[in-house]
Amino acid sequence: MSHLSSVSRRTFLRATPTIIVGGTVLAGCTGNSSETGEEGPADTANSPSSGTEANSSGTSTFDAWLSDTGNYSSVADKTGASEVTVSVGAQGNNGAYALAPPAIEISTGTTVLWKWTGKGGNHDVVAQNSSFESELQSTEGATFEHTFDDTGTYKYYCTPHRAMGMKGGIVVK
Ligand SMILES: [Cu+2]
């Protein structure tokens, strides 16, 4: 808030340079602006788009597949766990139309347990390569599981909400 007001005040002073009334106030203003950095509209600084390079392996694998998946930012490292739970019907994609976490990295032999939240209507989880496919379910607490014995990359989606971005990815190492 103070950030925004200092920016707009700065713009105001810049736009109307004749109104330099209080010399001390202006000095304080200038000090602030050099601290926070001079250029650019404030809103671009809050863009969540970057930061995908932090995860060295796996992350870029799903950048295209999950480009319209609202709650995807990186691949969650779940390697070493014998079972990993993914929420089906989690909040995201403008409703309860998300998988959470949407992208995970697991070890071979890991069982993924999808657990329905009961929200967002009917969901299923269907692998693009047909290696697994659940029923359409809507009941809270309903589950589906699949054990991944082979390494590889698995892309999957929810049939009714695929176009809304309800998609997921699993890397098996
Ligand atoms: Cu769905």
Side-chain angles (χ1 to χ4, degrees), residues 15 39 56 60 74 96-97 107 112 114 148 157:
E39 54 246 48
S56 53
S60 57
S74 64
Y97 306 123
S107 308
V112 174
W114 285 273
F148 291 84
Y157 56 87

Side-chain angles (χ1 to χ4, degrees), residues 11-149:
T11 313
F12 176 73
L13 286 168
R14 254 191 212 152
T16 56
T18 46
I19 313 182
I20 305 175
V21 186
T24 47
V25 175
L26 180 63
C29 235
T30 319
N32 268 348
S33 64
S34 65
E35 257 176 275
T36 50
E38 277 275 33
E39 54 246 48
D43 41 321
T44 52
N46 296 329
S47 162
S49 60
S50 58
T52 46
E53 285 154 69
N55 263 354
S56 53
S57 64
T59 302
S60 57
T61 310
F62 299 123
D63 282 356
W65 171 244
L66 301 177
S67 61
D68 60 345
T69 299
N71 64 332
Y72 168 73
S73 61
S74 64
V75 179
D77 184 0
K78 304 288 185 184
T79 52
S82 58
E83 186 177 282
V84 175
T85 302
V86 174
S87 181
V88 181
Q91 206 59 37
N93 301 314
N94 299 312
Y97 306 123
L99 297 147
I104 55 175
E105 187 173 292
I106 59 174
S107 308
T108 52
T110 298
T111 298
V112 174
L113 178 74
W114 285 273
K115 198 166 183 179
W116 272 247
T117 65
K119 294 172 183 160
N122 279 305
H123 307 288
D124 60 6
V125 289
V126 179
Q128 216 184 23
N129 67 2
S130 304
S131 56
F132 59 88
E133 178 173 352
S134 80
E135 305 281 308
L136 275 168
Q137 306 190 93
S138 61
T139 311
E140 179 181 1
T143 59
F144 172 75
E145 63 177 56
H146 181 78
T147 301
F148 291 84
D149 291 320

Side-chain angles (χ1 to χ4, degrees), residues 104-109 148-154 170-173:
I104 55 175
E105 187 173 292
I106 59 174
S107 308
T108 52
F148 291 84
D149 291 320
D150 300 317
T151 59
T153 299
Y154 299 81
I170 298 167
V171 178
V172 184
K173 298 195 129 179

